[in-house]
Amino acid sequence: MPAAATKCLRCNTVQGWGRFAVVSGTTLALLTALITVTEHAAPTLLALWRGAFSEIRATPVDTVDNTLRLLVVNDGTRAGVLQESSFILRTDSGRLEEPLDVRASVGLIKPGEARELTLVLNEMYMPKMIAALSENDPHAVDPDGRRWMRVFPAYSAHITGSARNFDGSAQRFSWPVKLRCDLNSCGFELP
C-alpha cells in the first residue's frame, strides 16, 4: 500500500487519523442529547454558582424645581431594600450637606421590579441652604456690599444614595446635579 494512501483497497478501512472518527448512529444520538441537556441546564447551574443577589440601579429621569425623579430597578435574583434616609445632597465645595425627602414608597424592591422615586429638597431647609451657599460667595454679594443674591451661580453637587442587600452588603450610587438657587428657593438641574 502506498504511504500517501487514505483508504485501504483490500479491507476498505480509512488510514490516518480519520479511522478514529467513526461515528455511529448511537454515538451521534448521545452527543445530541448531551448538548440539549447542557443547553437547558446551563442557566440553572450558573445561577447556583453565582448565588442569589440583588442588583439595584437608580437612574435620574428628570428634574422639576426642587424635585428629582429616579427610576429604581432591581436586576438581581433576590430582593433588596432602599432606605428612606439614604439619599443625601452634598455640594462639591463641601459647604452644604442635606438629607432629601423621598416621596414614594421605599423599602423592599423585588427582583425585576422597577419603581419611580421622587427626591425633594425640603422647603423647611431652604433658608439654611441659601445662607450656607451664599456665605463667602462673591456671586452672592451685591456690588454695594449688601448680602443678598441677585445673581446666584449653579453649584455643582452630588446626590448619593444606598441600598441594602439581604446578605448585609450595601450598594452605593451617586449622580452629579447642579443646584440653582434664588432668593427664596433652590432647585435641581441635571448636567
Side-chain angles (χ1 to χ4, degrees), residues 42-171:
T44 305
L45 293 174
L46 185 62
L48 285 173
W49 179 67
R50 285 184 75 187
F53 64 98
S54 60
E55 186 176 331
I56 296 177
R57 291 182 299 111
T59 308
V61 178
D62 68 353
T63 62
V64 177
D65 298 329
N66 65 335
T67 63
L68 172 69
R69 285 186 329 130
L70 299 175
L71 181 64
V72 180
V73 179
N74 184 356
D75 286 333
T77 58
R78 192 171 185 184
V81 176
L82 261 181
Q83 299 164 331
E84 191 165 330
S85 61
S86 65
F87 294 98
I88 296 174
L89 170 72
R90 289 182 180 90
T91 57
D92 293 348
S93 64
R95 284 192 274 178
L96 180 68
E97 183 173 319
E98 291 294 333
L100 297 172
D101 291 342
V102 180
R103 302 269 169 89
S105 61
V106 292
L108 192 68
I109 299 179
K110 298 174 185 169
E113 183 181 2
R115 188 180 295 173
E116 185 178 294
L117 292 180
T118 302
L119 304 179
V120 181
L121 279 171
N122 192 324
E123 292 185 19
M124 181 176 75
Y125 299 129
M126 292 285 182
K128 176 184 162 192
M129 291 173 59
I130 293 169
L133 290 171
S134 65
E135 186 179 341
N136 300 323
D137 189 339
H139 297 344
V141 178
D142 189 26
D144 298 330
R146 293 179 295 216
R147 298 281 311 156
W148 63 284
M149 292 164 278
R150 289 190 316 177
V151 179
F152 208 112
Y155 289 97
S156 295
H158 277 80
I159 293 176
T160 58
S162 65
R164 179 111 0 233
N165 300 326
F166 277 100
D167 64 0
S169 63
Q171 289 177 243

Side-chain angles (χ1 to χ4, degrees), residues 35-47:
I35 290 170
T36 304
V37 168
T38 304
E39 178 183 338
H40 289 289
T44 305
L45 293 174
L46 185 62

